[in-house]
Amino acid sequence: MASTPFDAAVQPVAYPFPAQDAHAAASSGRAASGFRYILSMLRANLLLIAAILAAALAFAVIATMLDTPRYTAAATIQISSASTRVLGPDQEDRPVEADYDFDRSLKTQIDILKSRALAQRVVQKLKLASNSQFFTALGMEAFPAGTPPKVINDTATGIVMGGLNVIMPHDSRIVTITWQSTDPATSALIANTYASEFIQSDLQRKFDSSAYARSFVSDQLNQTKARLEESERALNAYSRSAGLIRTRDASTATDKDGNGGGGSSITTSSLLQVNEAANTATARRIEAEGQWRAVANTPLLATKEVLANPTVQELLQQKAKVESDLQQELARHLEDYPTVRSKRQALTVIERQIQQAASNVRTGIQAQYQAAVATEQQLGGEVSRLKNSTLGEQDRTVQYALLAREADTNRQLYDGLLQRYKQLNAAAGISSSNISIIDNADVPGYPSSPNLMKNLVVALVIGSAMAAALVFLKDQFDDSIRVPEDVEAKLGMALLGVVPLSPDGEPETALADPKSPLSEAYNSLRGSLLYSTSSGMPHVLLVTSAQASEGKTTSAVAIASSFARMNRSVLLIDADMRRPSLHRRLGSANDRGLSSLLTSRDGLASATVAGPQANLTILPSGPIPPSPTELISTPRMEEILQAAAGQYELVVIDSPPILGLADAPALAALVDGVVFIVEADRSRRGALKTALRRLADVRPIVLGAVLTKFDPQKAGNRYSEYYGYEYYQYGGAKAD
């Protein structure tokens, strides 16, 4: 292969990776420099990490400012290994357990302090479940009406347990009980109540442990209770069988004289009530009879009952008025005068009404008398019946009295044993306690939380963890092709070369300078293509990409120009017949080109033009046809490529992008090798995978990928072997 003076002066690039070793080198570099990779990830996401940490710290400051101040009150108690007699004549200490077992006992006491049972004792002692101020002080809303008491009690118990903290030093028997809330007085009150109720619960447990000493009295009490129940059942059974229903006091069945018939039966009570009612009925009958006799033997309008009737009084007044009017009419007119006759008729009507009303009053008095007589007779009969029942019941109370005395005896014995049992319970075990209060809790004067410094430290730790997790997830789910290592790691393709980003944004200017990093990169790509296959450089080469504007045309021109400088005849074909750009970039006409050859049988030389340098020939796209895909898919395209391969040492085809078009896959099936162009920091792995799957359908020979527009300084923010991607300089550059 001939070389040019330009090639002789060029120094190698800093990282001339062989395409097949790119993935292995990247993997070994990451394995050997894991710490550097982590630092690079942190450096790449420095702003994100700083934002998360700043947000966490700001949240901590805001939460601290908005948080309700809480006050912690502390009471201290001593748990010793000896118990003190609280009640009783002696006040000496008595050891209750060995010292070597005290550590376990102390931990048991701490667990009891934290138990739900002790919290319930505190709630009951302070009546917190019914204290609305307790819930209000803790920032809770009032319970709605109808809330079950158990729910309120459980809520209060949970609050009390939640605010408790027990501190037990390893080298001391002084235990600190702290309680935290938003109200300082409540904190001190509950802390002190916890200490006192802890002592009371300890005494209660010791009281319960004395059950063996009270077992005998308990057994006797149970036996007596059984006998009492049996005697009561016998008494009730006899009462039921004998038909005796007696109202007796539950505490005794004897009367004042000691007889067993204490109390009275329902029959006797009924007799007394009915007899009293009969006497009342007799009195009412006598009164009603007297009224009736007075009315019956007296004219209607002569009795006071009739005259006192309001209806009769009103009619008498009307009669008097009509009589007065009649006398006035008689004074002026004769008897036959119409007004006189009218007044006499009205007077007659009123007199009849008066007689009817008086008769009604007398009839009512008679009815009252008859009803009183009937009531008296009925009650008299009931009294006679109850007298007979009472006399029969007295004969059956003899056996009842015997059973009642037995029941009373058993009850008195049971009451005595029960009183004794209560006395034993009151005196059992309450005289010993090994717990004492050292310091009562004082009302705290300043809040214990929120603590700004503590919250900032916690926020810093949480923010650091969140930032680390987010950076890790971002790195794991990032499917962009950013650094050369991503080409093989994410696409599974060999890396043919890395083309840096042109500093001035115009790749034509950078390619015109043989000393530019862009020219050096394409020279390195040329070396990779020379040995890309087992037989050397491919004869017909297709340059394509997944999307437009990824540097495909620039790469095709650069590859063709690079091989032309090696004194190889190169044909550069613009196969993008939709948006041709090669003729404008090289300054040639586009009157005839590939589309002209595809639609005619003209020879290849009729459409080619000379390139801007020796050994380089250009085949423009030609006039834009209506359907480029149909032209490329014809056998004529294969004939043109065969003719070009016969005349030139290298044929480079600039094709349209793969996604959305069928031109590139059709051309890939006709060439000896495909170079896949990938733009750094733009191409997504999903789009690239889709493009590669479309290529795979025609089974092409994919030589590898070229990463274009790569910014070494930007890539330095990620861990890459291409960080600091530079070339040796010409002239007076400082030697390495």
Side-chain angles (χ1 to χ4, degrees):
M1 180 180 64
S3 61
T4 63
F6 173 81
D7 292 331
V10 176
Q11 300 297 325
V13 296
Y15 293 98
F17 272 140
Q20 63 272 18
D21 295 335
H23 179 62
S27 300
S28 61
R30 291 194 179 186
S33 306
F35 184 69
R36 287 183 57 196
Y37 181 70
I38 294 175
L39 291 180
S40 299
M41 284 197 303
L42 295 179
R43 185 169 58 249
N45 298 275
L46 188 59
L47 293 179
L48 177 62
I49 295 173
I52 293 176
L53 293 179
L57 294 177
F59 179 79
V61 173
I62 295 175
T64 302
M65 297 176 63
L66 297 180
D67 192 12
T68 304
R70 295 182 174 273
Y71 299 84
T72 302
T76 56
I77 60 174
Q78 178 184 0
I79 303 177
S80 59
S81 58
S83 61
T84 302
R85 297 289 296 180
V86 179
L87 297 179
D90 51 339
Q91 299 292 332
E92 73 277 4
D93 291 342
R94 297 182 179 179
V96 295
E97 60 183 337
D99 290 337
Y100 63 83
D101 198 36
F102 180 71
D103 290 339
R104 183 168 59 184
S105 176
L106 185 60
K107 293 180 181 179
T108 302
Q109 297 288 353
I110 298 302
D111 292 338
I112 295 174
L113 259 174
K114 299 178 181 179
S115 65
R116 183 177 183 85
L118 187 58
Q120 290 176 343
R121 289 179 63 97
V122 173
V123 171
Q124 294 174 359
K125 177 68 175 180
L126 299 179
K127 299 179 180 179
L128 299 179
S130 59
N131 188 356
S132 59
Q133 296 180 354
F134 169 71
F135 297 101
T136 304
L138 296 176
M140 295 184 59
E141 298 181 356
F143 287 93
T147 303
K150 185 178 184 304
V151 174
I152 302 177
N153 188 75
D154 292 344
T155 303
T157 303
I159 294 174
V160 170
M161 294 180 66
L164 175 68
N165 186 28
V166 180
I167 304 174
M168 180 186 67
H170 295 288
D171 55 352
S172 175
R173 296 179 179 179
I174 302 298
V175 177
T176 302
I177 303 174
T178 65
W179 205 82
Q180 186 184 70
S181 71
T182 57
D183 182 45
T186 301
S187 298
L189 177 62
I190 293 182
N192 289 329
T193 306
Y194 247 110
S196 61
E197 287 302 310
F198 181 51
I199 296 176
Q200 293 297 325
S201 66
D202 180 69
L203 295 175
Q204 181 66 38
R205 289 193 305 275
K206 293 177 179 178
F207 165 78
D208 295 337
S209 65
S210 63
Y212 293 104
R214 305 189 305 273
S215 61
F216 176 76
V217 177
S218 177
D219 293 340
Q220 293 295 320
L221 186 63
N222 292 333
Q223 295 176 9
T224 304
K225 180 180 179 181
R227 290 196 298 269
L228 175 61
E229 292 176 352
E230 183 180 356
S231 60
E232 290 283 359
R233 291 192 184 96
L235 179 62
N236 293 334
Y238 178 76
S239 298
R240 187 179 297 107
S241 62
L244 297 176
I245 302 177
R246 306 186 67 84
T247 57
R248 36 191 304 276
D249 190 358
S251 61
T252 179
T254 58
D255 55 15
K256 296 180 180 179
D257 299 331
N259 298 322
S264 60
S265 67
I266 291 180
T267 304
T268 304
S269 300
S270 299
L271 176 61
L272 295 176
Q273 295 175 1
V274 172
N275 186 59
E276 183 178 357
N279 294 335
T280 303
T282 300
R284 291 179 180 175
R285 190 266 305 164
I286 294 173
E287 181 181 0
E289 184 179 1
Q291 291 180 354
W292 168 243
R293 293 184 183 279
V295 172
N297 299 327
T298 307
L300 283 176
L301 297 180
T303 59
K304 63 179 181 178
E305 288 82 0
V306 174
L307 294 176
N309 186 269
T311 303
V312 175
Q313 291 179 356
E314 183 179 358
L315 291 173
L316 290 175
Q317 292 176 0
Q318 294 178 4
K319 178 182 178 182
K321 185 176 183 305
V322 172
E323 288 178 346
S324 175
D325 295 340
L326 178 61
Q327 293 299 325
Q328 292 178 2
E329 292 294 333
L330 289 175
R332 294 193 298 268
H333 305 287
L334 297 176
E335 287 289 340
D336 295 333
Y337 196 75
T339 57
V340 174
R341 289 199 302 271
S342 175
K343 295 296 182 180
R344 288 191 180 277
Q345 292 176 357
L347 182 62
T348 303
V349 172
I350 292 175
E351 288 177 348
R352 286 200 301 269
Q353 291 177 350
I354 292 174
Q355 290 294 327
Q356 182 64 36
S359 299
N360 292 339
V361 172
R362 186 170 61 181
T363 303
I365 295 174
Q366 183 181 8
Q368 291 179 358
Y369 166 67
Q370 293 174 353
V373 172
T375 301
E376 180 185 18
Q377 293 175 354
Q378 291 177 357
L379 290 176
E382 185 67 18
V383 168
S384 299
R385 186 186 67 80
L386 290 175
K387 284 182 179 179
N388 296 330
S389 299
T390 302
L391 292 175
E393 188 180 76
Q394 290 178 355
D395 297 335
R396 299 192 298 272
T397 57
V398 176
Q399 182 64 25
Y400 179 87
L402 296 176
L403 295 175
R405 287 192 186 94
E406 182 179 359
D408 289 340
T409 301
N410 291 332
R411 182 177 297 106
Q412 292 173 2
L413 180 60
Y414 176 78
D415 291 341
L417 289 174
L418 182 61
Q419 182 66 24
R420 180 58 179 168
Y421 183 74
K422 291 180 179 179
Q423 292 175 356
L424 291 175
N425 286 338
I430 64 173
S431 61
S432 60
S433 176
N434 62 327
I435 304 172
S436 59
I437 298 177
I438 303 301
D439 290 322
N440 286 317
D442 296 327
V443 178
Y446 56 89
S448 59
S449 68
N451 189 324
L452 179 59
M453 294 305 299
K454 179 180 177 181
N455 291 346
L456 289 177
V457 172
V458 173
L460 186 62
V461 173
I462 296 177
S464 300
M466 292 178 60
L470 188 59
V471 169
F472 175 77
L473 292 176
K474 180 182 176 184
D475 182 73
Q476 293 297 314
F477 288 99
D478 186 9
D479 61 354
S480 297
I481 307 300
R482 302 181 184 274
V483 294
E485 288 85 343
D486 292 340
V487 173
E488 187 159 353
K490 296 182 179 181
L491 299 180
M493 298 179 63
L495 181 65
L496 296 176
V498 179
V499 178
L501 180 67
S502 179
D504 55 4
E506 294 294 336
E508 294 83 359
T509 304
L511 287 174
D513 182 9
K515 299 179 181 180
S516 67
L518 198 65
S519 298
E520 295 287 0
Y522 281 111
N523 288 337
S524 177
L525 173 60
R526 179 188 63 193
S528 299
L529 291 175
L530 285 172
Y531 306 101
S532 58
T533 66
S534 59
S535 58
M537 182 186 67
H539 201 180
V540 180
L541 186 66
L542 178 69
V543 180
T544 187
S545 64
Q547 305 173 70
S549 303
E550 293 195 53
K552 170 178 53 61
T553 301
T554 300
S555 298
V557 173
I559 292 172
S561 300
S562 178
F563 278 99
R565 287 194 297 270
M566 295 177 62
N567 293 326
R568 295 196 178 190
S569 58
V570 180
L571 175 63
L572 178 58
I573 301 176
D574 188 358
D576 190 353
M577 290 182 287
R578 286 180 172 82
R579 297 174 58 184
S581 60
L582 188 58
H583 64 283
R584 289 193 299 270
R585 180 170 299 189
L586 298 179
S588 61
N590 198 31
D591 297 337
R592 287 182 58 81
L594 180 60
S595 61
S596 303
L597 298 179
L598 290 172
T599 56
S600 67
R601 305 300 298 180
D602 297 340
L604 182 62
S606 64
T608 60
V609 296
Q613 65 185 78
N615 302 320
L616 179 60
T617 304
I618 308 299
L619 177 59
S621 65
I624 299 177
S627 180
T629 303
E630 294 181 359
L631 293 179
I632 292 175
S633 301
T634 61
R636 177 61 178 163
M637 185 67 198
E638 186 175 0
E639 295 176 1
I640 295 173
L641 293 181
Q642 289 178 355
Q647 299 178 25
Y648 297 92
E649 296 180 74
L650 176 63
V651 178
V652 179
I653 303 175
D654 178 19
S655 75
I658 299 174
L659 294 179
L661 302 174
D663 300 3
L667 290 171
L670 305 176
V671 301
D672 300 330
V674 177
V675 175
F676 194 70
I677 303 299
V678 179
E679 180 182 349
D681 270 341
R682 174 193 173 186
S683 300
R684 308 296 292 181
R685 185 173 58 171
L688 296 176
K689 287 287 189 181
T690 302
L692 292 177
R693 280 195 297 269
R694 293 197 62 191
L695 278 180
D697 293 339
V698 298
R699 301 180 180 274
I701 302 175
V702 180
L703 302 178
V706 177
L707 186 65
T708 61
K709 303 180 183 181
F710 174 62
D711 188 354
Q713 298 301 323
K714 186 177 180 181
N717 291 333
R718 292 172 56 89
Y719 181 65
S720 173
E721 295 294 342
Y722 286 79
Y723 177 55
Y725 185 88
E726 295 292 346
Y727 296 88
Y728 290 105
Q729 302 295 324
Y730 290 86
K734 183 178 179 181
D736 288 345

